[in-house]
């Protein structure tokens, strides 16, 4: 979808306004000997995403972060941040810079005084496999920043190191061997990209559910998904009339992962863990030039649906449902949107037919 002609208007939604709107290169890549400074950005081929420096409006003195954002949405909406814990500042004699190192194939972020604030940390065979000729960093139109060797091999990619946003094409994974996996971590505040209190990941103990935690995974969970039963699953639902979202669960010998894609022509869509502790599906309808109200997927809080119930996110509007063989404990409350009492066993579930197990036991007199 060509978004280069998206109209300009007021932005409604979750985006935070920032200072520094730098001049954009027409190129989608960074090469050795051509560092990226705060006065410029690179833009993906297709124009969907930009990479550059930004600074929160309430930052005094100005803190600079290297990030990726939607390139043509009014109001800056950042989807990835490199130096969340180590913001840069302008030095006394020079500005921060992002440089691609030929000797190690690493992307390195230096502050204004030449100190290393962040690096891709490519090591071993991967770092030695590339030469300076043809080595490049490319910002893809999916929002993925990749370091490529001259033969096209991906040495590193930002999709393997997300911050708070789950984007189309990204793998939300966990390893069977190490139990290490993707973790999405919220911002600390609306203008503070540093790691916040909330994290979202696959439960490493069971590998069957996805949790939203307040703090570490040992803290009280805020939300959890329905258990995954071990089968490959693909679901689809409309994302606020902005297209169709296809969510898939895939299981290999080495890992389990979730991924999602969008139908052709769909507007920008992402899952994001907010600084206030919500998992949201955000969708921008560019035709009307506004951000469609974010859909809250966790139905408020952990245990919101009550005992023996779960939140079904495959419906157009996520809602609480009872497990098979269960019915709402309080029908009137359930119908009015109060699910705290959950579900109880359906009486018919205990009734069996046949000569050995009559449907109804004879009464005693």
């Amino acid at each position: 979808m060509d978004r280069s002609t998206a109209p300009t208007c007021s932005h409604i939604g979750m985006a935070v306004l920032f200072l520094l709107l730098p001049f954009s290169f027409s190129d989608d890549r960074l090469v050795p000997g051509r560092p990226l400074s705060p006065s410029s950005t690179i833009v993906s081929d297709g124009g969907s995403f930009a990479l550059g420096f930004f600074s929160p409006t309430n930052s005094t003195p100005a803190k600079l972060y290297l990030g990726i954002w939607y390139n043509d949405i009014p109001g800056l909406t950042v989807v990835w941040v490199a130096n969340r814990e180590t913001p840069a500042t302008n030095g006394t004699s020079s500005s921060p810079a992002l440089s691609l190192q030929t000797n190690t194939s690493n992307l390195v972020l230096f502050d204004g005084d030449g100190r290393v604030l962040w690096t891709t940390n490519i090591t071993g065979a991967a770092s030695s496999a590339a030469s300076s000729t043809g080595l490049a960093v490319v910002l893809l139109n999916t929002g993925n920043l990749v370091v490529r060797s001259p033969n096209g091999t991906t040495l590193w990619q930002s999709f393997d190191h997300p911050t708070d946003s789950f984007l189309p094409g990204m793998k939300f994974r966990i390893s069977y061997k190490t139990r290490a996996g993707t973790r999405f971590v919220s911002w600390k505040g609306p203008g503070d990209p540093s790691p916040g209190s909330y994290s979202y990941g696959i439960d490493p103990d069971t590998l069957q559910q996805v949790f939203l935690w307040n703090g570490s995974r040992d803290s009280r969970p805020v939300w959890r998904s329905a258990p995954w039963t071990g089968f490959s699953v693909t679901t689809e639902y409309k994302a606020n009339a902005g297209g169709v979202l296809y969510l898939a669960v895939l299981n290999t010998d080495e890992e389990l992962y979730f991924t999602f894609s969008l139908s052709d022509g769909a507007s920008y869509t992402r899952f994001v863990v907010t600084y206030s502790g919500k998992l949201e599906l955000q969708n921008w309808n560019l035709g009307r030039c506004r951000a469609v109200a974010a859909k809250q997927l966790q139905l408020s809080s952990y245990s919101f649906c009550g005992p023996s119930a779960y939140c079904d996110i495959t419906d157009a509007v996520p809602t609480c449902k009872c497990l098979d063989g269960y019915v709402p404990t309080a029908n009137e409350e359930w119908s009015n949107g109060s699910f705290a009492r959950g579900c109880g066993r359906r009486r018919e579930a205990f009734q069996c037919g046949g000569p050995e197990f009559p449907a109804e036991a004879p009464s005693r007199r």
Side-chain angles (χ1 to χ4, degrees), residues 60-135:
T60 305
K63 295 179 180 179
L64 298 176
Y65 294 91
L66 177 72
I68 297 172
W69 56 82
Y70 293 111
N71 185 49
D72 51 11
I73 291 179
L76 204 57
T77 302
V78 179
V79 299
W80 181 80
V81 183
N83 56 323
R84 302 185 73 177
E85 299 181 74
T86 53
T89 56
N90 286 311
T92 55
S93 59
S94 61
S95 299
L98 179 69
S99 177
L100 180 57
Q101 306 293 295
T102 57
N103 57 337
T104 63
S105 305
N106 275 298
L107 260 181
V108 182
L109 174 63
F110 298 95
D111 70 4
D113 295 321
R115 292 172 297 185
V116 175
L117 298 178
W118 172 85
T119 177
T120 51
N121 199 28
I122 301 170
T123 59
S127 64
S128 61
S131 65
S132 59
T133 304
L135 179 66

Side-chain angles (χ1 to χ4, degrees), residues 138-152:
V138 183
L139 179 60
L140 305 181
N141 210 43
T142 58
N144 191 13
L145 184 69
V146 299
V147 179
R148 284 180 177 169
S149 67
N151 65 6

